[in-house]
Amino acid sequence: MELLTHRYRTLTILALVIAGQLLLLGYQVRTQGDVRLVRVWAVTAVTPVARLLETARRDVSTALDTYVFLAGAQKENRLLKRQLGELKFEVRRLRRELARADRAEALKLFIERSPSKMVAARVIGAGTGADSKVVFIDRGTRDGVKKGMAVVTPEGIAGRVAAAYPTASRVVLVTDPSFAAGVVSARTHVQGTLKGMGGRACRVDYVQNEQHVEEGEWFYTSGDDRVFPRGLPVGPVKVSREGKLLREILVEPAGLQAGMEEVLVILEGVHQPVPAPAADEPEFELLPPPDTLTTMAEPGAARPTPVLTDADRLLETYRRIGQAQGHVYGEGRPGSPPPDFNWEPGPAPRKRSPSGGGHE
Amino acid sequence: MSDYGDLLAGVRRRTKISRYRPVVLFLVPVAAILFQVYVPLFLDYLGYLELPLLVTVYFAAMRRRPVAGLLYGAGIGLAQDALSQNPLGMFGIVKTLVGYFAASASLRFDADNPGSRFVLAFFFFVFHQAMYWVLGRALIGTPVELGAARTLVLAGMNGAVAVPFFHLLDKLKES
Amino acid sequence: MEFEGPAPQNLLKPLPQRDGTRFAAGRIAVFQYLIAGVFLFLLSGFWELQVRNPAFYSERAERNRIKALPILAPRGRILDRDGRVMVDNQASFSLALSREKLEQRQLRALAAGLGLDFDELVLRVRRFDRTHPKYEPVIVKEELTPSELAFIEAHRGDPRYPDMELINAHRRLYPRGGVAAHLLGYIGEISEAELNLLEFVDREPGDVIGKSGVERQYDTLLTGIDGERRVVVDSVGREREVIGVKEAVPGRDLRLTIDLDLQVVAELAMNGRRGAVVALDPRTGEVLAMVSRPAFDPNRFAGRIRSKEWRALVGDPEKPLLNRAIQAQLAPGSTFKPIVALAGLELGVITPDFRVTCNGGASFYGRYFRCHLSRGHGPVSLYRALADSCDVYFYTVGNRLGIDNIARYAEMVGFGRKTGIDLPGEAPGLVPSTRWKLRTFRQKWYAGETISVAIGQGALTVTPLQLAYAIGGLAMGGVWYPPHVALNAGRRPEPRRAALDPAHTEAIADALWAVVNDGGTGLRARLPGIEVCGKTGTSQLASVRAIHNRKLAGKLKDNAWFVGFAPKRNPEIVVAALFEGGEHGHLAAPIVRDVIKAYFDKKERRRNNERIARLRTAAPFRR
């Protein structure tokens, strides 16, 4: 008997712990809410350590990098090549510093030139779980970050703030399946919705098959989602093909390519007609040619190709036939020559309806 | 309560109970979680290394106490949950069970043997992923992807890491 | 967080070593299975209680977890006689809201986000509430634009917004610029009144039906059967798994008798004008073209038309929604003269050689009636009287015939009642007679009134379709095939035949040929090489009572008619054109000419193509 109670004691504790957590889960599912307090604790506890780690990593990485390099050099010929190695070390270190300085400068420039109010943040952690598309940044409600804000880099949009804690925020990346943003193509002004797919690429949804989007063309934010201000780069089109119902477009998010270390949280967004103003910075070699930028600046320029019926196309054909013969439809003086509807408009490409039964 | 000990001792005579300083018990999982939060930022393949799970298995198995193991697992799991997108409790429940079963299993296996350590880590990784999948589907309607082959490969990887990792943790034993 | 360090150690004492062989390893296994079993029991039982128990959740969670989303069936396309697409479908998305946890404040946020009218939105949801169970989502916005889609996608799962679902719908794609708009009609959400109609007995509120034109007439055929997709959604409403799919059955395509080439030419000819064009094949009754202007853009109706826009359309004095081809009832003017002539010949009142001298007018019953040519036509026979449209001649014939004889023949050719075309809302027109006047006004018919009716004025009204139908049948020697627009309408009704003397109908056709080709009023319809026959008509509006609209007063010019057919014997096409405010009938003639030319040009094109095809098949090995 005694044994049984002991046996039950373990069981009871197990059952209680699991039931407790089930209750917690059930509560969250039912209210669709969150146990914010616990998360705030956890995040706040982890943030300083992560921040410390990140700082340490930066400093150490240079040294480590060069040490490994140096070690290799030493192995070859300690005495003779030492000087050379040290020089190389110096060059390497300087180059790294320069790159970092460039990066900081670019960020600064980006913030300065952008009409939107932003705050720079460092990525200090990834969400737990193997397929996580979530990162933590070291800015929180204390810095004015709020849930739902847009997170960008000068290269392109990066994600959205999913939760803001006092000293840190959780950011859902553009590649997360729950991410969506309104986008517009630079050249053809085709509008669509960018969605994460859980992988490296994102897709652009709701583009009609008839609408023209070329591979390599860039997408920018359209501002339609009321989250991302208009005119921020998103990424180049990798794949654009006709789908069953809608066009299938895959975009490589440019904001995630540069190994995100620093990001910017947009506190107050301002729409921009022209994409990223820091276009002459060295990092921006992927920006589209300036002519497409100017078309983008003109509102309503280069409308997406309209979708037409055979009737529309045939009407256009007859209108051209009439025009070519100087014929005004429904008019004609007595004895005036009638139009010839079998007139061929010469070698110019003739747009006949594809199913034009009358002209087989 | 003493009878409980009798029971377990009866099963395995050679059972050795390892003891650890409380600070070790606290800092190791924190470090593991930090590792999982931080390192995959740069080395994304390390995101598949479930260090918190290995820590749970190790301490539960080494201390051989189901109750302690399950509480320990629950703690680590909930901490992980707090830093994830999931509702709180998903990792918590899974790790609770892992802790409990790891402690129970250690009563029958020699948890000091590298071979059985690999098997333990391998098995509990699979169990962890499967349980997580079941919970995701049944409770919050979020089918987590579960590729059988992929899970087994990852389990092997985690098991392989577990052997030296556990050996490292052995050095933190009190006596 | 039950984060603990040494705590568990307090729960258990350090384990002393002891013997206990009776606890075999098997027992431990049983022990663990027990735990697993208890765990499973706990899990399922707990979840049952938590989620499925109505006391906790009032069915909401369960229903919310499994959602039934409609798959809207695409409507059939509408094709012309050659299979060219006139009305197509285009992928489009509608916004559906789950109503289970819907809050006013969420609706307000949504209305603000999408620029919808909040009150209209609430009304729409309420109306749906009355007739549908709670778990069915309500569609609140069709035809989502890319901007709206982006907004919705970016805010899905946000608790400030409703639980939003996107449903793939099929947008109706009509020709632009109102081409064939009246003929094709448009679609819209079924109204309360329509729900009570027998033809929509199987429809539900919120369904989209054909509202006018072919869309309405063949609604049943064009409408498909909606399918359903049952999906599991997660706690934030995101779709996670598809349980079952009932595929939608698309509506059937409908092929019309319309020849798009002719339709398009007629449309172009009516550009900027008010009026209508109807082209028929008198040999079959097939409608080859039907145009009404001004038009509306049915693409605007394809989604939900805003009530303001709708009111503007309805209130427009130009009446763009009116299908003038079958609904405009206007005096036919001189285009009625062939029918008067027919009555005269058939009843022996006149012969083709009967002559009347026109001095620019004549007195009947103490009133002077003028001819449109004030200097007069001089002595005219039937041939010249029709060619030059001499009014005095037909005053005389009409006077001799009497109103009831005129009415008899007018009704015989199809005036005064619906032709029975397969389009909704056809107007019957009016043929005055003594009986009609007595019945309607309780008044006796005055012989003087007959004189105006004889030249197509007075109370006589016809629709453009009736005119084409009447003249086409007359040109066929008295065979009237019922007009129709659906090519595969199944059984074709038998024609109506009248025992007419071929000599009479041919005499009239000859005179109508002279209208175009022998110095008549319809010279502008002339086509070298084609025997175009026709009749101009100018109908005065001054007598029409409906001039109370001040806006139109300035524009009130006479209506121009022209009805033409070709060739003279065994005609293949008859075209009636109404050019409102065209002032004189001969100005409507070029409209008809263009359509007839398009018909014969196409015929020639087809013949040439066939010849080429024959040559190709005859010499398959020659290149």
Side-chain angles (χ1 to χ4, degrees), chain B residues 65-80:
Chain B
R65 288 174 191 170
V67 172
L70 74 90
L71 290 178
Y72 198 69
I76 294 180
L78 285 173
Q80 244 184 319

Side-chain angles (χ1 to χ4, degrees), chain B residues 1 4-6 9-10 13 15 17 26 63 65 67-68 71-72 78 97 100 104 131 137-141 143, chain C residues 1-5 8-9 11-12 14-20 23 25 31-32 35 39 47 234-235 240-241:
Chain B
M1 203 170 266
Y4 187 76
D6 295 348
R13 280 161 205 268
T15 300
I17 293 161
F26 179 76
R63 292 165 75 213
R65 288 174 191 170
V67 172
L71 290 178
Y72 198 69
L78 285 173
L97 289 170
Y100 174 75
S104 306
M131 217 41 228
R137 273 185 88 83
L139 298 191
I140 58 169
Chain C
M1 223 177 355
E2 302 98 297
F3 211 93
E4 81 304 315
Q9 282 173 329
L11 292 169
L12 296 168
L15 296 172
Q17 305 271 320
R18 221 187 99 175
D19 246 307
F23 294 102
F31 182 58
Q32 290 192 348
I35 289 164
F39 169 71
W47 204 252
D234 67 8
S235 53
R240 292 299 185 182
E241 192 190 355

Side-chain angles (χ1 to χ4, degrees), chain A residues 128-202:
Chain A
T128 51
D131 294 318
S132 172
K133 298 291 172 206
V134 174
V135 296
F136 285 90
I137 55 171
D138 68 345
R139 298 281 186 177
T141 47
R142 281 188 201 161
D143 311 285
V145 175
K146 287 177 193 151
K147 185 186 168 186
M149 280 180 170
V151 178
V152 305
T153 70
E155 287 80 14
I157 61 169
R160 269 181 85 179
V161 176
Y165 307 107
T167 56
S169 303
R170 198 170 74 222
V171 174
V172 172
L173 298 180
V174 287
T175 46
D176 189 271
S178 71
F179 182 89
V183 293
V184 59
S185 73
R187 213 166 309 169
T188 46
H189 263 234
V190 170
Q191 285 174 290
T193 302
L194 183 83
K195 285 183 180 172
M197 298 195 299
R200 283 183 172 275
C202 298

Side-chain angles (χ1 to χ4, degrees), chain A residues 228-246:
Chain A
F228 288 90
R230 189 183 175 88
L232 294 170
V234 173
V237 175
K238 286 283 139 195
V239 176
S240 171
R241 56 174 174 241
E242 282 201 12
K244 202 173 134 203
L245 186 69
L246 293 162

Side-chain angles (χ1 to χ4, degrees), chain C residues 170 266 328:
Chain C
H170 303 271

Side-chain angles (χ1 to χ4, degrees), chain C residues 138-149:
Chain C
V138 54
I139 293 178
V140 292
K141 176 88 171 70
E142 289 97 351
E143 308 294 318
L144 294 168
T145 63
S147 309
E148 289 164 340
L149 282 166

